[in-house]
Every structure is written in C-alpha cells, then in structure tokens.
Amino acid sequence: MSAGLAVVEEWGLDHEFGPELEITPSSETAAQITVSLADEEEASLTCGGVFFWVWRGTPEDLADRVAAVVRDVAEHGMVAAGAAARILTGEDSYGVGLSSFVPWRWRRGKRVFTPYR
C-alpha cells in the first residue's frame, strides 16, 4: 500500500515475532519503522535502525503507545546514536533503545532522521 509518503507492508503471523508492519518512507533522510507484535501486551519496534520494546498494561494501552511512537517519528523525526535514539515530539523528546551512562550531548556518530514530508 502506498500512502504517498511511505510504503507500508504487512507480514503474516508466521513471521519471527508475530504480525509485522514495515513503514518505508519515500525520503531517504526519514527513518524506516518496523513494528512487530510479540503478544497483546508487548511489541518490538525498530526506528532508524534502533531496536526497542514497548509494553503496556492492556492491548489498548499498547496500541496507543505504539501509535504515538510512529506518529512522533513520522511527524517530527528522530536522532540516533549507536543503539539509542531521541524521538522528537515538537516540544520535547524522549529516549528509546539501549541506555548509556554517556550524556547524550557527548555521543558521537549521531544520525538525524527527518520527518515524513
């Protein structure tokens, strides 16, 4: 399916983690997003090459959180460094991926991903 801004592919239940949704932006500077449902309470996401888990108490809470992450990456972009990333929200940002004791401003090799435009 093409949304003008991204190509979305859905993989079936036989995939490694369960149902998977892959969003490939048309811009090479925007982050590709992959969502894999492990079960009703947790999902794995890969945004711009950074892997992390999202889990919430109910399936509805999980769906809301995954939708918020996808929306933030698509609307505002993200900055990645190694196995961690800062997802931008327009007013602030939040961290995902592996945490580190190295302050964010000191990290080298940052990759900036633009919004889906």
Side-chain angles (χ1 to χ4, degrees):
M1 173 174 110
S2 176
L5 298 176
V7 175
V8 178
E9 294 183 51
E10 183 177 349
W11 299 92
L13 292 174
D14 59 345
H15 195 272
E16 182 179 353
F17 289 115
E20 183 173 276
L21 178 71
E22 186 173 285
I23 305 168
T24 305
S26 59
S27 169
E28 292 182 13
T29 60
Q32 179 172 338
I33 302 169
T34 303
V35 179
S36 298
L37 295 178
D39 59 33
E40 293 181 348
E41 297 176 354
E42 63 183 8
S44 68
L45 279 86
T46 304
C47 297
V50 176
F51 177 85
F52 57 98
W53 288 94
V54 174
W55 59 90
R56 291 291 184 229
T58 67
E60 293 79 19
D61 293 339
L62 176 65
D64 290 345
R65 188 67 197 134
V66 168
V69 169
V70 171
R71 181 193 63 238
D72 290 341
V73 171
E75 289 182 5
H76 305 289
M78 63 180 270
V79 179
R86 300 294 303 165
I87 296 179
L88 309 175
T89 64
E91 299 173 6
D92 199 5
S93 65
Y94 54 93
V96 296
L98 295 177
S99 62
S100 170
F101 293 111
V102 177
W104 187 255
R105 66 183 178 278
W106 294 352
R107 295 184 189 202
R108 299 180 195 273
K110 292 179 188 170
R111 301 175 317 274
V112 177
F113 295 95
T114 60
Y116 285 30
R117 292 197 174 107

